[in-house]
Structure formats: structure tokens, C-alpha cells
């Protein structure tokens, strides 16, 4: 029996950080018309869906994750008419578009919050989470909850002498989603974009949307730093402020909302938690969020055994028709190639893995040319998280194991060797973040002319993915791992493909995984793999070579 696959189950997503993709006006900040200019580049690259980080009106204290109006475009990025044109032109080219929806919080400059904080009896008071303080005069926070960025998650407000709750940073007060008016307002915001034709949403810190109705203290623990697969941080177990049962129900409610639309739309949740928690957001019958980000993959080392273990775990947890996601980097994480010693050969191995597993891959803008992580001091960063920790000596901040400034992965796209990397039409303008010094060598224009470039590798592999049903709809069969390589099959009633990844810097001779193989893809444009097969029946992979055989 052939199972029907929806488009979003087999799509490939490209993430655009609008501030940094393409500046069309010359003010040094990327914008929507800049993206329109580059739509054909994306078509040629071969991705199928674009996810935009927020471009709604915002004071930009957290570069768009502090929203003052959910249903408009910030003038920095353009107008609603620009967005409509972008959406139409993307759809004409067969591209889908998903937006970032921040249901958890607003900016503290949002008119709703300005009203809410103005008096205790303001009609918008209950739109946010206000509590009496503890202790004498209520000057101690209502409970012990810590914010995701560290420190107390409550801020005292002198005007009304109560505390408001924020999960991320103090200028991002959390909405009170238990209030039906708030839920309706946010559903209306979703509908506003869905009615315009948007194809879905990425949901910001979805696991934090509901907090405990009784505001119980979180239990203490010994873990200081947050991690990918647990909910401990800053010496507490986040039991009462994250993953509350209402969050899982909310996932189902939101899915119902988007399922009212045709053609189908989809949701991807930004969720950090245990694998079991991630699974629960998909809903008991695959009726919750269509997908969630599986972040443990983004920190996986280049180690076949570890990769095998994690992918097996993901497959067990999310067997078909559940759809996993595979992501290496985004606007909050270090750039992918940085983790692989800035070596394009290694990046190709890891990208072949990502684009041939069963699930939806997310490519962060610039990943396709190997854009590097750029160094910024905490003091000179624009990222509000870095600003919070500006005082921390660099030696100390390195112990975190992740970057305390997110500026380093958000630098302007390197289009060419022209001044300002071709990002801005004004060669003199100071771009909002400095551009990596590597741009004369690492840029789109140069890589377009080199058949062996990372860019041309992505183009070729994305085409192979689009042209082969097994890579889109096939099940995944992993063979036992070895120290040097991974072998797996994508199996579809109409096609079986074998994928072999050589993780070592040595040549590898292996028995052919299928009889009379034919090569449909190699990371190495001049692969010799089949010559060896004709001689000996074995296949020979060059160092870091990855192939797809049928
Ligand atoms: C997660 C987003 O990815 C991040 O960039 C943002 O700062 C926080 N949520 C707060 O919205």
C-alpha cells in the first residue's frame, strides 16, 4: 500500500536570518526585497522551503524576537506589500515559506504590555503573568524560577508593585496563554499570515508557553549549564516552568488550527528537552506539531558509532509516518563548519548524512558555502545575551562549550568578493554586523565557478534528493556501524538506494552493498568507485568520500 506523503514531510528547509541575507536599500541591514532579488539563487540551490526569522515590528533588542505587532512588517525589512510580493514570487517558483511565530512572549514595548503594566485593573492586566512578591513588602520574587538565560525570571514593576514573569530576557514578558483572549489574539495572528498564504510556522521556545498554574518552586539540582537533552540549568530542574502538560495539549490545538487550511501547512517546534518530551509534542496520534527540532543532532561529533546510536534512537522514537528533522546550526548556534575544523571535505560528509536521512533537513543561510563562525567579544556584541554577560572574561566564557554571543553566526551573507561581500549595494556602508574577513575567498560567486565547491556539492545533492523518491519517501535501514564509515539504505517500493559515508581520511575498500551498483551521487565529482568494482567486485572510497548507489 502506498502511503500518501505530504509536501512538508519531504521538503528541505533553508533558514534566512533577514537582517543578514541581502540588503537592497544600502542601509547595511538585510531586508525582504533583498530576499526577492535572491529567490532564483535559492531555486538554483535546490531548497524547497524558506524559514524566516521574525521580521515583524520590533525595537530589535533581540533582533526581532521582541515583537510589538504580530501582523505587520518592521520598516527596517520593508512593508507588508513587499512580503506579499515575496510570497507570490516564491510560490511562483515552487518555494514554500514558513514564518517564525513567537507565541511565548512579546516585547515590553508591545501596546498590550504597556497597557498591562499601567494598572492592576487594566483590561490587559491578565494578558501577562503578574504575581505578588514574597517576603516583607513583596520585594522578593514570587518563586525561585530562573530565566533561560540565567538569573531570576521575574522583574519587579514599581508602578503596580507586582512582578512579571519572563522566560528569556526581561524585555520579553511572557504572555498568559491560559487567558482565552490571549490565545484567540495569537490564533488570529497565525490566521492573518495563513490567510495570506504562508505555508507554516516555526514556533519559538514552544515548550515554555505554559507555566505551572500554582507557580510552585522548581526543585534544586547541581547542574549549572543548560544542555540539549535535559531540563536542568542554573542549579534547578525546570519542572514547573517548562513542558507543562498544557503545552502538549496546545500542540494539538495548534495543529487543528493549521489543518483547517488547504493546501496543507506545517509546524516545527523549537523545543529543548528529553527525547521523550520531544516525542510528546508530535501528539499521541501524530496529531500534534508536525515536526520538532531534534537538537542533539546539531552537536553530534563526526563519529559513525555515535551518529548511528543517535539516528537509531530517533528512528525508534519517531518511526514512519512521524517525521524527524535534522539541523546542524541556526541563528543561536555556532556555524556548522566551525565544528568540523572549517574543513569543506568534512562538511560534505556531514551534509550528505543530513540530506540523505529520513526527515526534514534545515540548512542555515551560508552553510552551503561554508561561511565561518566570526569572533566577537562579548562587550562589542549586539546580541542581548552577550550584553548580559559582557563582564565575563573570555577564558571563563569558553568553558560554556557554546558561544555566549550569537553574533558570530549571524554575519552578513558572503555573496561575492566585492566590497561588503556583495551583501549591500553601498560599498561604503557599515553593515549591522561586521563581515567575515574570509569573504574574498569564501563567497557564492567564486564557488559557482568551481565544480568541486561546497556550493556545487549542495546543488548536486539537493537535485539528487529531489529526483529520487527513495530519498524523499523511503524508510531508513541502518547497517551496524564501523569506526570508519556508515552504510544505510533508503527503501521505497519503487527504488532502493545505498548510502555510504567515509568518515576517515584514508581510502576505504568495502564489499559492494548492492549487486551491479550504479553511482548516482558522489561528493567527489570524479569518483573512481565503480572502476574498482569492475576489477574486484569491491568498491573503493576516497578519503571523506560519500556515495549514493542504486
Ligand atoms: C529562541 C530563538 O531562537 C532566539 O533567537 C531568541 O532569542 C529566543 N528564543 C527568545 O525569543
Amino acid at each position: 500500500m502506498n502511503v500518501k506523503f505530504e509536501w512538508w514531510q519531504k521538503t528541505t528547509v533553508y533558514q534566512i536570518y533577514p537582517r543578514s541575507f541581502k540588503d537592497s536599500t544600502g542601509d547595511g541591514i538585510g531586508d525582504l526585497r533583498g530576499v526577492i532579488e535572491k529567490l532564483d539563487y535559492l531555486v538554483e540551490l535546490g531548497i524547497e522551503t524558506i524559514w524566516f526569522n521574525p521580521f515583524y515590528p520590533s525595537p530589535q533588542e533581540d533582533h526581532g524576537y521582541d515583537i510589538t505587532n504580530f501582523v505587520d512588517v518592521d520598516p527596517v525589512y520593508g512593508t507588508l506589500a513587499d512580503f506579499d510580493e515575496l510570497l507570490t514570487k516564491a510560490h511562483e517558483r515552487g518555494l514554500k515559506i514558513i514564518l517564525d511565530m513567537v507565541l511565548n512572549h512579546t516585547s515590553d514595548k508591545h501596546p498590550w504590555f504597556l497597557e498591562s503594566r499601567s494598572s492592576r485593573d487594566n483590561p490587559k492586566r491578565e494578558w501577562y503573568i503578574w504575581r505578588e512578591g514574597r517576603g516583607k513588602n513583596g520585594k522578593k520574587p514570587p518563586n525561585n524560577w530562573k530565566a533561560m538565560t540565567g538569573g531570576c525570571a521575574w522583574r519587579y514593576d514599581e508602578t503596580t508593585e507586582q512582578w512579571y514573569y519572563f522566560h528569556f530576557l526581561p524585555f520579553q514578558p511572557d504572555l498568559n496563554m491560559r487567558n482565552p483572549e490571549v490565545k484567540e489574539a495569537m490564533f488570529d495572528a497565525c490566521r492573518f499570515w495563513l490567510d495570506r498564504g504562508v505555508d507554516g510556522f516555526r514556533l519559538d521556545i514552544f515548550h515554555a508557553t505554559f507555566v505551572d498554574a500554582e507557580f510552585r518552586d522548581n526543585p534544586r539540582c547541581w547542574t549549572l549549564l543548560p544542555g540539549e537533552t535535559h531540563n536542568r540549568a542554573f542549579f534547578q530542574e525546570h519542572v514547573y516552568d517548562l513542558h507543562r502538560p498544557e503545552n502538549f495539549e496546545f500542540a494539538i490545538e495548534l495543529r487543528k488550527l493549521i489543518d483547517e487550511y488547504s493546501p496543507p501547512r506545517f509546524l516545527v517546534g523549537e523545543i529543548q528537552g528529553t527525547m521523550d518530551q520531544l516525542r510528546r509534542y508530535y501528539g499521541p496520534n501524530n496529531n500534534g506539531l508536525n515536526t520538532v527540532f531534534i537538537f542533539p543532532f546539531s552537536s553530534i561529533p563526526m563519529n559513525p558509532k555515535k551518529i548511528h546510536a543517535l539516528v537509531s534512537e530517533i528512528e525508534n522514537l519517531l518511526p514512519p509516518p512521524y517525521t524527524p528533522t535534522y539541523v546542524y546550526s541556526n541563528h543561536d548556534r555556532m556555524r556548522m563548519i566551525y565544528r568540523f575544523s572549517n574543513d569543506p571535505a568534512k562538511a560534505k560528509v556531514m551534509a550528505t548524512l543530513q540530506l540523505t536521512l529520513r526527515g526534514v533537513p534545515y540548512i542555515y543561510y551560508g552553510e552551503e558555502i561554508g561561511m565561518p563562525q566570526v569572533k566577537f567579544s562579548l562587550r562589542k556584541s549586539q546580541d542581548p545575551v552577550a550584553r548580559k554577560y559582557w563582564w565575563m572574561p573570555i577564558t571563563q566564557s569558553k568553558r560554556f562549550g557554546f558561544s555566549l554571543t550569537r553574533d558570530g553566526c549571524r554575519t552578513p551573507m558572503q555573496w561575492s568578493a566585492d566590497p561588503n561581500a556583495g551583501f549591500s549595494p553601498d560599498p561604503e556602508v557599515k553593515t549591522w554586523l561586521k563581515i567575515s574577513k574570509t569573504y574574498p575567498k569564501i563567497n557564492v560567486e567564486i564557488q559557482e565557478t568551481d565544480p568541486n565547491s561546497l556550493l556545487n556539492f549542495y546543488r548536486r545533492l539537493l537535485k539528487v534528493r529531489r529526483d529520487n523518491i527513495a530519498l524523499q519517501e523511503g524508510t531508513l535501514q541502518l547497517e551496524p556501524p564501523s569506526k570508519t564509515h556508515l552504510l544505510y539504505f533508503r527503501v521505497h517500493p519503487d527504488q532502493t538506494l545505498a548510502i555510504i559515508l567515509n568518515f576517515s581520511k584514508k581510502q576505504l575498500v568495502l564489499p559492494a552493498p548492492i549487486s551491479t551498483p550504479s553511482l548516482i551521487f558522489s561528493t567527489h565529482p570524479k569518483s573512481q568507485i565503480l572502476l574498482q568494482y569492475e576489477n574486484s567486485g569491491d568498491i573503493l572510497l576516497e578519503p571523506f568520500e560519500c556515495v549514493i548507489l542504486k
Side-chain angles (χ1 to χ4, degrees), residues 15 17 51 53-54 62-67 100 102 104-105 148-149 167-169 171-172 202-207 270 272 293 295 330-332 383-385 406 410:
Q15 180 189 349
Y17 195 69
W51 150 33
N53 291 99
D62 190 15
H63 301 116
Y65 283 97
D66 49 324
I67 296 166
D100 219 307
V102 185
N104 183 70
H105 54 265
M148 186 178 167
T149 54
H167 179 66
F168 200 70
L169 284 164
F171 57 81
Q172 292 159 311
R202 174 261 189 196
L203 304 169
D204 192 59
I205 43 173
F206 189 75
H207 53 302
E270 187 210 19
Q272 262 149 0
F293 288 129
F295 286 126
N330 64 26
H331 62 292
D332 295 330
D383 178 4
V385 177
R406 298 171 294 175
R410 297 175 174 179

Side-chain angles (χ1 to χ4, degrees), residues 79-99:
T79 62
L80 211 44
D82 292 331
F83 176 74
D84 286 338
E85 185 180 329
L86 167 58
L87 185 64
T88 307
K89 291 192 164 153
H91 282 168
E92 278 166 11
R93 287 163 174 77
L95 298 173
K96 307 275 190 186
I97 286 192
I98 65 170
L99 302 189

